[in-house]
Amino acid sequence: MTANLLGLDHEGLKAFCVGLGEKPYRAKQLMRWIHQAGVDDFGAMSDVSKSLRERLAQSAAIVPPVVMRDTTAADGTRKWLLDVGTGNAIESVFIPEANRGTLCISSQAGCALECSFCSTGKQGFNRNLKVEEIIGQLWWASRSLKSHNAPAGSARTAQSAASGSSDGEGEVERPISNVVMMGMGEPLANFDNVVTAMRLMLDDHAYGLSRRRVTLSTAGLVPGIDRLREELPVSLAVSLHAPNDALRDELVPINRKYPIRELMAACLRYIDKAPRKYVMFEYVMLAGVNDGVAQARELVALVKDVPCKVNLIPFNPFPGIQYERSSAEAIDRFRDVVAQAGLVATVRRTRGDDIDAACGQLAGRVQDKTKRVKRRQDKQEALAQ
Ligand code: SAH
């Protein structure tokens, strides 16, 4: 069987090298070629002996997901549609800003959580992504951005990247400075694969990102938050979206299993070990649903004991959805109430919506295994008759 080396972290690659009768340090060398130089051909690994290159070619491969579409929005946001087989495709999005570049990564083909306002949730669920499919999104994006965006002469060459040498930490050399697990899927529902992929993001021989610059966003899987705290505490974002259980049960149905009180307790436990000493609460702004002044006050009271920042996300509509985006005035009013209570409140700028790359618009292509989509269609047909 051919091993896909793209999906192995340092430990995995060491075991693989030892299995070939090689020294474990080869793992670092391979990681630098694969993840820093973006090489998918063993023949290009010029500091690896010819005999090892040949043995690698026989027993292993470096296979990223296949890019089906690569689109750039008017504001520079870029979206890749990646084929992950059997009729499923996932999306990742690069968001360039003046002082940083953020890649938003998917963790599942579809999502099983069915948040009422999210287009991925409406598509149903097929499967967890494998490690190589998760890290493959960063691999592709890093490679494409290096070849397209770097001004001539400023990019690191494959050779210098692979040998670890660099003349400075310029942003141009590393177009992706931040990764957010905020694409399709619930990352904590694919815990092991997501953690292994994040280990590669943090590894100095791979992408070398700091734990502060890797953010995992969850709809609130309490046991997963606790496990993450033990295994790989990165920056944490929590999709709160409502200030009480009655409304959150409706918007984020996983709340019926892990209600707000338990979620807040898990956030407090997490902060102890987190690289940032606060949790980012995400709050989608739905007109007339969760955006009133009274709800802002309720939110302030709810989070008063949890060190946090609040990130308001203007709702991004998609076909067939009953919600509307809150008005700019409602969003400002809500933010002011939260800010006046002494909390940091920001409004997420909508990026890339002309190519459906904004929050909640990532749809890819999902062969729904849960039959949820079929049941909904049957119901709609029955109602229409
Ligand atoms: N399952 C994880 C990761 C998804 S992150 C989570 O729930 O956190 C994507 C973020 O965008 C979440 O905060 C999600 O609630 C939000 N979102 C989903 N649909 C949206 C939409 N249509 N408009 C704006 N934000 C949306």
Side-chain angles (χ1 to χ4, degrees), residues 9 44 59 77 90-91 134 167 200 205 211 226 284 307 331 353:
D9 65 2
S59 56
T77 301
I90 52 152
E91 294 183 316
I134 301 170
D167 39 22
L200 278 166
H205 302 288
R211 288 194 293 140
D226 285 329
V284 65
I331 297 177
D353 53 349

Side-chain angles (χ1 to χ4, degrees), residues 66-85:
V66 176
V67 173
M68 299 167 73
R69 208 182 310 143
D70 178 346
T71 327
T72 304
D75 65 7
T77 301
R78 190 159 162 193
K79 181 169 88 166
W80 292 269
L81 180 71
L82 303 168
D83 186 357
V84 291

Side-chain angles (χ1 to χ4, degrees), residues 27-41 44-48 62 139 158-163 205:
K28 288 184 188 165
Q29 223 177 345
L30 283 172
M31 275 172 102
R32 290 198 292 259
W33 279 112
I34 298 170
H35 297 286
Q36 298 187 349
V39 157
D40 56 3
D41 167 16
M45 301 183 173
S46 54
D47 58 356
V48 174
I62 301 158
W139 187 90
Q159 181 63 52
S160 71
S163 61
H205 302 288

Side-chain angles (χ1 to χ4, degrees), residues 218-252:
T218 178
L221 269 60
V222 166
I225 295 174
D226 285 329
R227 257 187 95 188
L228 190 66
R229 166 181 185 266
E230 295 308 318
E231 293 190 29
L232 198 70
V234 292
S235 293
L236 183 69
V238 171
S239 293
L240 190 56
H241 304 320
N244 58 59
D245 282 323
L247 183 56
R248 194 162 192 271
D249 281 352
E250 198 184 300
L251 302 180
V252 185

Side-chain angles (χ1 to χ4, degrees), residues 117-118 181-183 185-187 217-219 239 241 282 284 313-316 318 359-360:
F117 51 87
C118 176
M181 300 298 305
M182 292 189 186
E186 166 52 47
S217 177
T218 178
S239 293
H241 304 320
E282 295 159 282
V284 65
I313 314 176
F315 171 64
N316 292 306
F318 51 90
C359 300

